[in-house]
Amino acid sequence: MSTPTYGGSFAWINLICRFFRHDVDPLSRPPPLTGSVEARAMLAAMAADNLSDMLDIGPLPLLNDEGVASTVFHEQVHYWQLLSSPLLQSLFITALQKIRLVVAMNGGTALSICGEVDFDDRPDLVTPRLANANTLLRPQFTSGDVRWQVEIVEDPPTSVAAVSCRQWEGGPEWPRFCAALGFGSAERRLVWADLEQLTEGHALGSEDRRARRAPRRLLEDAPPIEDVYLGLWELWCRRHGHRATEAALGDAFLVAVDLAMLGGRPGPLLELNHRNHFPGERFARLMTVSADLDLPALDHDDDVVRYQDRLAEAAGLPGVDGVLQTARIRLLRMLTFSLAPMLHLEVEDRRRAVERLLGDHLSQTQEDDAAAIVEAAMSEDQQLPVGAQVLATMYNALRHRSDNRAHFALPARHAATLEAGFPLPLVLMGGAYYFTRPAKDVRQPLTAYPDMLRQEIIQLFALIPCIEGESECGFVKSGAQCQYTLQGLGCARSARRPLSDAAAELRKRTGVATWCHRARCDLWTGLMPKEERAYWLARSSLG
């Protein structure tokens, strides 16, 4: 079996569902189907009668193979990064708000999607923040000015620089940090400390620690993609390699990168109004001050917390505990506002409830009281707005992080605990859906049900094109198969994938008709045409 590769798409960070497309080589082909096409169509029709999805989910095979398990763990770390970093959460929240806005603008129901209090009907506020998200994910700049540059190592030659970049002439400054790594040749390799390099460096370093293998170094003849995964680690080794053992060096690197990914105190959506919010700026400061601090062995969790707090203080960054509480309050505000209809509150009452319960500073008792209100709304036997399960999981992760600061910084050390509390919910490959651990409701501050979380991820994946104002299904636009196409039912909602005569006849004969993942989303969000909506409601028990 081939060794897992370190390439792959990082598009998952734009919306959480994009993350769950894994390209693990032994699993890249769809599994053999069981039963007849007719029988599978009948199951899809039964799901449609209940206005639910056909979700045939099984355990991910070959996890006993170390190569596959290691690759999956790498992606699991990305999931934990998203759950525990307020900055990464902001990417998801901003995209979710844009979906809510587009749904409302197209005649749908805004309340079907979770959102922030003050951003409905305000594209002028949402669009610039979505542009920030796109720039964090895919940095593209036309110009830049070097703020400072310094040679930090003579042999091998290594320099670092802070650069103020602009996307257009006269545009706002975007602080970035880069390193020029020499290998003996005349031309140095340029490595940036952008969000992708930080998240991938942290995931690969964690993967190496889990596999108990020595981390690789960046080589002169390595392909450019290696800069993304190994560039910042190579820089860290050159700066600190003489000061500590490889194990201590690796732990300190992961702790520093985790702090850089945290972001500053989050505002609503993705606000980048302070240099502390930019991951490159944060990493630049941490690299600078780390040279003047002891590089201790981080053998115990308390050591990790002390070192991270010392780094933050020396770099002039906001304290971790305060950032985490602000992020938790933001999530509770969103959930309180979005779930208040379950408690039969009108819009203005919802707004007042948010303002009354969630001020800028809360005691733990006040926060627990606010979480209890959210929990009561989520326990109602009603369809929750899209995003609620993800936001609740994020809140639980932040609470876990506050109580166990070292866990997400060094995930390999605490993999068993994190996998039990926050397992990778869904793996999409070849049109088939998998889980890495059986569904288990773990008692946490907010109840996030694994099965409901998976269904929500499917909904989000289908709704992704709404971010660009498109009505296409996300499965179709991304080129991914869904279970309906895998099961031989074709796609009834896209001109890109016209139905074959056989699939159209099968859908008609068995009663699947136009039902699919996206149809369910359109029905729930109010985007489905009235005639089609009336047809499905009449077929269901709701009719």
Side-chain angles (χ1 to χ4, degrees):
M1 184 173 294
S2 60
T3 302
T5 62
Y6 297 118
S9 170
F10 201 52
W12 60 266
I13 211 170
N14 200 343
L15 272 180
I16 190 171
C17 52
R18 292 287 296 186
F19 171 72
F20 302 107
R21 296 182 59 211
H22 294 263
D23 297 315
V24 180
D25 196 28
L27 305 175
S28 59
R29 295 183 296 275
L33 300 176
T34 58
S36 67
V37 174
E38 188 89 14
R40 295 194 296 270
M42 293 298 294
L43 290 174
M46 291 172 62
D49 287 338
N50 295 315
L51 303 182
S52 60
D53 260 333
M54 178 179 67
L55 292 179
D56 182 11
I57 303 177
L60 185 67
L62 300 180
L63 276 178
N64 59 340
D65 178 274
E66 180 53 34
V68 174
S70 188
T71 301
V72 171
F73 182 77
H74 183 103
E75 304 305 327
Q76 175 80 79
V77 172
H78 284 318
Y79 178 59
W80 293 333
Q81 291 168 348
L82 182 60
L83 292 185
S84 66
S85 164
L87 175 64
L88 300 183
Q89 289 176 3
S90 294
L91 300 176
F92 172 79
I93 290 170
T94 302
L96 190 66
Q97 187 70 41
K98 182 60 183 292
I99 292 175
R100 177 181 169 107
L101 182 66
V102 171
V103 165
M105 291 173 62
N106 284 277
T109 305
L111 296 179
S112 63
I113 311 291
C114 285
E116 277 277 13
V117 177
D118 298 316
F119 289 88
D120 284 348
D121 303 320
R122 291 298 305 273
D124 58 312
L125 297 179
V126 177
T127 300
R129 288 164 172 78
L130 190 63
N132 286 340
N134 291 332
T135 303
L136 277 175
L137 293 166
R138 293 172 292 275
Q140 294 182 353
F141 299 98
T142 59
S143 63
D145 300 319
V146 176
R147 290 164 43 212
W148 54 261
Q149 181 174 0
V150 61
E151 196 85 8
I152 61 171
V153 178
E154 292 184 3
D155 185 21
T158 306
S159 62
V160 294
V163 184
S164 292
C165 296
R166 294 177 178 82
Q167 292 178 290
W168 60 87
E169 189 67 30
E173 291 187 357
W174 189 284
R176 299 175 78 195
F177 177 70
C178 67
L181 307 177
F183 290 89
S185 61
E187 187 173 349
R188 300 189 185 190
R189 294 183 73 130
L190 193 63
V191 172
W192 292 95
D194 290 324
L195 191 59
E196 183 178 25
Q197 287 82 355
L198 290 166
T199 53
E200 292 294 359
H202 183 265
L204 181 56
S206 301
E207 179 188 346
D208 288 337
R209 295 291 280 167
R210 174 194 171 276
R212 300 183 184 278
R213 62 178 177 238
R216 293 183 293 134
R217 297 284 295 270
L218 186 64
L219 302 177
E220 182 176 7
D221 58 352
I225 189 63
E226 296 278 285
D227 295 345
V228 173
Y229 294 86
L230 298 173
L232 296 182
W233 166 240
E234 176 67 23
L235 172 63
W236 188 267
C237 289
R238 293 185 180 196
R239 187 68 182 90
H240 298 296
H242 62 288
R243 304 177 60 202
T245 65
E246 186 177 75
L249 199 67
D251 287 343
F253 172 73
L254 295 178
V255 170
V257 172
D258 174 68
L259 184 55
M261 291 189 298
L262 191 70
R265 290 182 181 271
L269 305 190
L270 181 60
E271 291 185 335
L272 297 174
N273 52 15
H274 193 283
R275 302 191 84 89
N276 285 338
H277 292 155
F278 292 85
E281 173 79 12
R282 292 173 65 89
F283 189 75
R285 293 191 190 184
L286 295 170
M287 274 292 302
T288 300
V289 302
S290 62
D292 299 323
L293 298 177
D294 293 335
L295 202 61
L298 305 178
D299 297 327
H300 305 286
D301 287 356
D302 289 345
D303 300 329
V304 173
V305 174
R306 281 192 292 269
Y307 181 59
Q308 196 168 62
D309 286 344
R310 289 174 59 209
L311 279 173
E313 182 179 7
L317 301 177
V320 173
D321 291 332
V323 171
L324 294 178
Q325 188 193 38
T326 301
R328 295 198 307 270
I329 292 174
R330 174 178 65 170
L331 292 174
L332 286 177
R333 284 177 65 90
M334 285 189 68
L335 285 164
T336 303
F337 181 71
S338 301
L339 297 173
M342 308 297 177
L343 301 176
H344 312 293
L345 298 178
E346 299 298 330
V347 173
E348 285 306 312
D349 292 328
R350 270 185 279 153
R351 191 181 303 275
R352 283 193 292 270
V354 171
E355 293 172 350
R356 181 176 67 251
L357 292 169
L358 304 172
D360 293 332
H361 302 285
L362 297 182
S363 68
Q364 191 59 61
T365 299
Q366 290 173 314
E367 183 179 336
D368 290 342
D369 289 344
I373 291 177
V374 171
E375 174 70 1
M378 293 190 70
S379 65
E380 290 285 312
D381 187 19
Q382 300 183 55
Q383 173 77 41
L384 297 178
V386 176
Q389 291 289 326
V390 176
L391 296 175
T393 304
M394 288 178 172
Y395 177 80
N396 290 339
L398 291 180
R399 284 288 291 260
H400 183 90
R401 177 166 186 162
S402 295
D403 296 336
N404 306 275
R405 285 267 305 277
H407 285 199
F408 289 105
L410 299 177
R413 184 182 293 180
H414 301 283
T417 299
L418 293 176
E419 286 171 352
F422 307 99
L424 195 63
L426 188 66
V427 180
L428 308 182
M429 281 177 289
Y433 306 164
Y434 302 99
F435 56 78
T436 56
R437 294 174 67 97
K440 183 179 180 181
D441 299 334
V442 179
R443 181 62 185 169
Q444 301 196 73
L446 299 181
T447 302
Y449 300 97
D451 289 337
M452 294 177 65
L453 178 59
R454 291 173 186 141
Q455 292 178 22
E456 190 170 270
I457 291 167
I458 294 294
Q459 290 178 296
L460 288 166
F461 199 3
L463 289 169
I464 279 177
C466 286
I467 297 174
E468 306 299 331
E470 301 175 7
S471 60
E472 186 70 276
C473 174
F475 284 90
V476 175
K477 185 172 182 180
S478 68
Q481 277 204 82
C482 72
Q483 281 200 344
Y484 291 86
T485 57
L486 176 67
Q487 302 285 352
L489 294 169
C491 178
R493 306 187 75 81
S494 174
R496 293 195 200 185
R497 295 180 178 175
L499 275 175
S500 66
D501 291 341
E505 195 279 330
L506 179 64
R507 279 178 170 267
K508 181 178 180 180
R509 185 175 71 253
T510 58
V512 179
T514 58
W515 194 252
C516 62
H517 294 316
R518 182 57 198 250
R520 182 172 184 264
C521 291
D522 288 348
L523 177 68
W524 167 240
T525 59
L527 294 176
M528 181 176 281
K530 290 182 179 179
E531 297 79 5
E532 187 180 5
R533 176 181 175 84
Y535 167 77
W536 286 114
L537 290 178
R539 269 185 58 171
S540 75
S541 59
L542 296 178

